[in-house]
């Protein structure tokens, strides 16, 4: 039995015994170092890095403009907003749920940040007000799910529509306010710190924070536990409801930050344009990055790599003059492919509607 | 002797679930016009064999043949097409449609979906098999009692006129009257030349119904006897094979004060339960499936709220409304469904072991990895968990080692009371005796232990005192010296008959 359990472990050097002739010592070491690298970085992440390299190479050869600094900045800033949503989406997915409403929350926050800024002339008030709205939206999502016993997909599909409607109502469906002259919003949109665009710094900050919380804290470990087995978590004394509502509130807050960035980039509050469809990209990135839609599995690093891959792809298709409509097809196809790969790996039987 | 033609033959059937061998070279013959009983203790492999016959999965080795022709079932529809039906013990009934539609589900085309015709056909069938007074064709699935649900499942099988039909403990949810009707139905099947397989624990039924008896033990084939050539005692010897209680004979520990006391505890699952456990005592809870044993454990663990009575820990009444309350009171709970309710299969041994005590291994919100690893290693050594390292995913361990990881999680909380629901289910014999040794050691350390088990030899071997449950109540209490399989069974079926 001992041997049987050992076989399952890829880290043990015993694996190298499959070689027919006795391996030399250096062979064994090389193999195990290689294996160690693979297990630390993860197969998923290595495939993503390879995919990015291939896509970059193909686009770079076809269009040398790809490697110019302005274009890389375009990619970076485009990534920042999707990236924020993808990072929090990853946390929601690890918890075993889904938040489709993130794009609408971002739109609502974009409008409110600009409107509060215009009426108070305070950027701080605009930002705080928008984040508060985002947290409230998350609280609504969490409460519908926990206390209304509504499936997360349905609950946030409903609020996707409702939050979008609220944003349109308060803005009358038009862009609101003008933030293009405010130094703080300008700094967010075009400023740099140590030569790095602020937008990217915001994403890095949120991603690092999320990574640390997931990896090194009791909160993160309990999120994995709830997503992995909610009955075991409940019997283990974890207050599951608190985690669900808390994660949705954090997601709302980060979606609001994404909305504020949209306002900063466009110079005014946008109820819909700039945020619509972001939920699809966020979910695609999380799934491509290895977050299991069943919950309990996933990591921020994979999601960030997937966000970069998606950003490079979108940018490349634009540079190569691919019709925008095709880009939507590619987007949808990628999400399906990512999930199909995940499901095939789990070896589920092909009967009925997957759980 | 024409009726003795062999309708179904299974030879050398072997099936493993991971490291656990559920079946090892099992033989079974079902003859047309005869009832063959399949007997064995819990875990002997009867259910696995039935699942293979039903086409739920293929055996690792061995062959099935029907009327001498080899068959290979990829899924249940293959088995049905071959004229073989297995009747599920806990049938799936569609709540929103009628009995008629439930019976003909998946087969509605054959009656050319016309509701009037469907109802007429259903009534005819119910009458043909004698259940027309027990169940109405128009009744909705949601209105059915457990007995009626079982009858719907039986009707589903017989209306397709199978050549071979297997029952899995069909009487466990039936009352006396329905049992009489069921036996009449089986006689009728027999008269029509159908081969019947019949799994049951109940000796009396078997001697009343069966022509032959096949006995399994620990997944292996023990033998087949003609009913006329055997008796109760021989069958018990065949099923038990050895006196299991000698394998895990415990030294009773010195008893301390009463640490857990239930006074009239009740909710939607259990009723007026009085129970005490003392420090250093191992209390067994026996009963038939559905007697409310697991529900009682979940009630004590705070997963089901109590609606009456009180739970006292060390003499103090505790309000236990959710699992965290019971954990705080010093209660640990290893549930019956290890994989579904206890383990994070995609996480490491370390993660799983630390789940409940994570807070105490952390500074503010930051987990102290070193302390966590030390904790995991301590229990890997103490409980002899066979894993390459604390980082191994729990899903890759064998059942016995997974159970030890669950025990480690609760031992880390230094519990006063430990509730173990079927602690050795699906575990190989070696790991079983290790679990018994751990239980014994815990008792000697002064932990109050409750062990729920469906395996009577296990309950008898491991407990200082035994409670028997039936229909959500405690139907009796036996000190170890007075307990025997017969007395436990008598108490377990006590209210089962009355209900």
């Amino acid at each position: 039995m001992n041997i049987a359990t050992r076989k399952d472990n890829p880290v043990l050097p015993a694996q190298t015994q499959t070689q027919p002739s006795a391996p030399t010592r250096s062979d064994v070491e090389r193999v195990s170092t290689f294996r160690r690298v693979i297990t630390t970085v993860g197969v998923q992440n290595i495939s993503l890095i390879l995919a990015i390299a291939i896509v970059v190479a193909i686009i770079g050869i076809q269009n040398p403009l790809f490697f110019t600094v302005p274009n890389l900045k375009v990619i970076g800033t485009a990534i920042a907003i999707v990236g924020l949503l993808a990072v929090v989406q990853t946390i929601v997915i690890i918890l075993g749920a889904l938040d489709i409403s993130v794009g609408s929350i971002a739109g609502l926050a974009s409008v409110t940040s600009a409107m509060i800024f215009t009426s108070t002339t305070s950027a701080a008030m605009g930002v705080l007000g928008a984040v508060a709205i985002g947290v409230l939206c998350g609280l609504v999502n969490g409460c519908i799910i926990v206390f209304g016993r509504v499936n997360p997909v349905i609950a946030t599909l409903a609020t996707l529509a409702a939050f979008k409607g609220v944003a349109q109502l308060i803005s009358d469906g038009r862009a609101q306010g003008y933030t293009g002259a405010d130094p703080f919003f300008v700094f967010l949109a075009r400023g740099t710190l140590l030569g790095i665009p602020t937008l990217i710094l915001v994403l890095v900050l949120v991603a690092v924070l999320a990574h640390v919380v997931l990896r090194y804290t009791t909160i993160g470990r309990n999120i994995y536990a709830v997503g992995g087995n909610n009955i075991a978590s409940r019997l283990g004394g974890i207050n599951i409801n608190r985690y669900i509502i808390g994660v949705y509130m954090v997601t709302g807050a980060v979606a609001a930050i994404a909305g504020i960035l949209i306002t900063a980039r466009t110079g005014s509050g946008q109820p819909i344009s700039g945020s619509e469809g972001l939920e699809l990209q966020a979910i695609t990135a999380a799934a491509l990055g290895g977050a299991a839609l069943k919950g309990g599995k996933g990591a921020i690093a994979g999601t960030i790599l997937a966000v970069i891959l998606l950003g490079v792809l979108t940018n490349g298709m634009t540079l190569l003059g691919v019709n925008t409509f095709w880009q939507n097809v590619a987007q949808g196809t990628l999400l399906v492919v990512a999930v199909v790969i995940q499901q095939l790996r789990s070896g589920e039987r092909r009967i009925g509607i997957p759980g | 002797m024409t009726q003795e033609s062999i309708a179904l033959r299974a030879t050398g059937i072997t099936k493993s679930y991971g490291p656990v061998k559920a079946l090892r070279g099992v033989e079974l013959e079902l003859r047309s016009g005869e009832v063959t009983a399949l007997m064995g203790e819990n875990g002997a492999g009867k259910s696995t064999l039935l699942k293979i016959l039903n086409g739920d999965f293929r055996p690792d080795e061995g062959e099935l043949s029907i009327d001498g022709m080899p068959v290979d079932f990829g899924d249940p529809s293959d088995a049905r097409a071959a004229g073989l039906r297995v009747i599920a013990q806990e049938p799936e009934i569609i709540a929103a449609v009628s009995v008629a539609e439930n019976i003909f589900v998946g087969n509605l085309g054959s009656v050319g979906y016309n509701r009037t015709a469907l109802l007429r056909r259903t009534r005819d069938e119910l009458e043909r098999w004698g259940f027309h007074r027990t169940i109405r064709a128009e009744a909705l699935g949601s209105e059915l009692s457990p007995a009626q649900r079982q009858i719907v499942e039986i009707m589903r099988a017989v209306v397709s006129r199978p050549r071979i039909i297997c029952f899995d403990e069909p009487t466990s949810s039936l009352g006396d009257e329905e049992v009489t009707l069921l036996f009449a139905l089986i006689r009728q099947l027999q008269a029509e030349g159908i081969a019947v397989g019949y799994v049951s624990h109940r000796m009396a039924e078997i001697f009343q119904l069966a022509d032959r008896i096949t006995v399994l033990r620990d997944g292996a084939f023990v033998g087949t006897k003609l009913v006329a050539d055997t008796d109760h005692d021989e069958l018990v010897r065949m099923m038990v094979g050895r006196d299991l209680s000698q394998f895990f004979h415990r030294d009773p520990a010195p008893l301390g004060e009463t640490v857990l006391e239930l006074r009239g505890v009740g909710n939607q699952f259990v009723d007026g339960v009085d129970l005490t456990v003392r420090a250093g005592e191992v209390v067994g809870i026996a009963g038939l499936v559905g007697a409310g044993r697991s529900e009682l454990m979940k009630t004590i663990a705070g997963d089901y709220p109590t609606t009456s009575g009180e739970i006292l820990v060390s003499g103090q009444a505790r309000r236990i409304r959710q699992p965290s309350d019971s954990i705080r009171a010093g209660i640990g709970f290893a549930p019956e469904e290890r994989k579904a309710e206890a383990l994070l299969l995609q996480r490491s041994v370390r993660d799983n072991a630390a789940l409940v005590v994570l807070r105490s291994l952390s500074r503010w919100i930051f987990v102290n990895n070193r302390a966590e690893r030390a904790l995991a290693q301590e229990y890997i050594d103490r409980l002899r968990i066979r894993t390459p390292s604390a980082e191994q995913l729990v899903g890759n361990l064998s059942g016995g080692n997974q159970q030890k990881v669950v025990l480690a999680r609760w031992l880390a909380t230094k519990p006063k009371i430990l509730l173990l629901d079927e602690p050795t289910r699906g575990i190989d014999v070696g790991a079983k005796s290790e679990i018994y040794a751990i239980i014994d050691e815990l008792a000697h350390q002064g932990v109050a232990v409750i062990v729920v088990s469906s395996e009577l030899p296990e309950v008898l071997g491991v407990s200082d005192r035994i409670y028997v449950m039936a229909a959500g109540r405690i139907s009796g209490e036996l000190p170890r010296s007075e307990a025997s399989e017969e007395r436990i069974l008598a108490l377990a079926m006590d209210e089962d008959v009355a209900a």
Side-chain angles (χ1 to χ4, degrees), chain B residues 21-179:
Chain B
K21 279 211 161 177
L23 292 176
R24 295 174 288 185
V26 166
E27 316 281 322
L28 179 70
E29 285 174 3
L30 302 182
R31 292 155 197 253
S32 301
E34 279 198 14
V35 177
T36 304
L38 186 59
M39 296 192 80
E41 291 182 299
N42 289 321
K46 296 164 301 189
S47 306
T48 307
L49 183 57
L50 286 187
K51 282 185 179 148
I52 286 172
L53 294 183
N54 193 39
D56 289 326
F57 37 65
R58 289 193 166 91
D60 300 335
E61 284 166 42
E63 276 173 18
L64 291 178
S65 63
I66 288 184
D67 296 332
M69 303 288 286
V71 287
D72 175 36
F73 300 151
D75 63 66
S77 62
D78 292 344
R80 284 166 196 195
L84 189 148
R85 294 289 296 224
V86 177
I87 290 166
Q89 200 179 350
E90 279 164 26
E92 300 290 340
I93 301 290
I94 307 163
V97 303
S98 69
V99 163
E101 282 147 327
N102 263 298
I103 289 174
F104 287 95
V105 66
N107 209 12
L108 287 172
S110 71
V111 280
Y113 193 65
N114 164 335
R115 201 176 148 83
T116 324
L118 178 69
L119 287 172
R120 194 184 318 120
R121 170 91 191 272
T122 305
R123 279 187 214 106
D124 291 348
E125 288 287 343
L126 286 170
E127 193 163 348
R128 178 173 197 267
W129 301 104
F131 286 115
H132 53 291
R133 268 186 281 274
T134 324
I135 194 165
R136 284 183 314 116
E138 301 86 358
L140 286 181
S142 55
E143 299 166 4
L144 303 180
S145 69
Q148 290 172 321
R149 294 163 70 92
Q150 183 69 51
I151 290 164
V152 168
E153 173 70 9
I154 292 167
M155 292 304 296
R156 280 174 178 167
V158 295
V159 296
S160 69
R161 305 282 183 267
R163 311 221 15 260
I164 304 155
I165 188 162
C166 295
F167 294 86
D168 188 3
E169 297 200 43
T171 54
S172 60
S173 60
L174 299 184
D176 284 351
E177 199 180 325
E178 290 115 11
V179 169

Side-chain angles (χ1 to χ4, degrees), chain A residues 142-151:
Chain A
C143 288
I144 293 175
I145 293 164
V146 168
F147 301 114
R149 310 306 307 148
V150 181
N151 174 300

Side-chain angles (χ1 to χ4, degrees), chain A residues 133-158:
Chain A
I133 294 276
V135 170
L136 192 67
C137 290
L139 180 67
V140 168
N141 279 337
C143 288
I144 293 175
I145 293 164
V146 168
F147 301 114
R149 310 306 307 148
V150 181
N151 174 300
V153 175
I154 301 300
T156 57
L157 184 64

Side-chain angles (χ1 to χ4, degrees), chain B residues 255-262 273-285 296-297 300 312-315 416-419 443 446-451 464-467 474 477:
Chain B
L255 298 186
E257 57 167 24
T258 299
V259 284
L260 178 70
E261 184 174 359
L262 270 60
V273 172
D274 295 316
L275 174 153
T276 59
V277 192
R278 295 170 64 178
E281 189 179 28
V282 180
V283 165
I285 299 190
L296 178 61
M297 293 302 104
I300 301 174
L312 291 83
V313 176
S314 300
K416 281 192 276 191
I417 301 152
L418 200 54
L419 316 175
V447 179
V449 186
I450 296 184
V451 175
D464 297 317
R465 200 151 51 85
I466 295 165
Y467 288 100
I474 301 277
E477 181 189 344

Side-chain angles (χ1 to χ4, degrees), chain A residues 319-330:
Chain A
L319 280 188
L320 301 182
V322 177
N323 186 329
T324 332
F325 301 149
W326 276 113
Q327 295 185 17
N328 281 335
V329 176

Side-chain angles (χ1 to χ4, degrees), chain A residues 25-112:
Chain A
R25 190 174 207 99
S26 68
D27 270 347
V28 174
E29 269 166 20
R30 206 177 309 140
V31 169
S32 55
T33 332
F34 180 62
R35 278 189 177 281
R36 213 169 296 141
V37 171
I38 290 189
T39 38
T40 354
V41 184
V43 181
Q44 185 99 21
N45 292 349
I46 288 176
S47 343
L48 283 168
I49 292 169
L50 284 177
I52 293 171
I54 293 169
V55 171
V56 164
I58 293 173
I59 299 169
I61 290 167
Q62 305 259 341
N63 190 334
L65 274 180
F66 179 80
F67 288 114
T68 59
V69 173
N71 186 52
L72 290 183
K73 270 195 177 165
V74 167
I75 298 179
T77 49
I79 282 175
I81 290 166
V82 186
L84 285 175
L85 299 182
V87 165
V88 279
Q89 192 68 251
T90 306
I91 303 177
V92 179
I93 289 176
I94 291 172
L95 190 75
L98 206 65
D99 190 344
I100 307 181
S101 71
V102 286
S104 294
I105 297 177
L108 181 57
S110 173
V111 172
T112 43

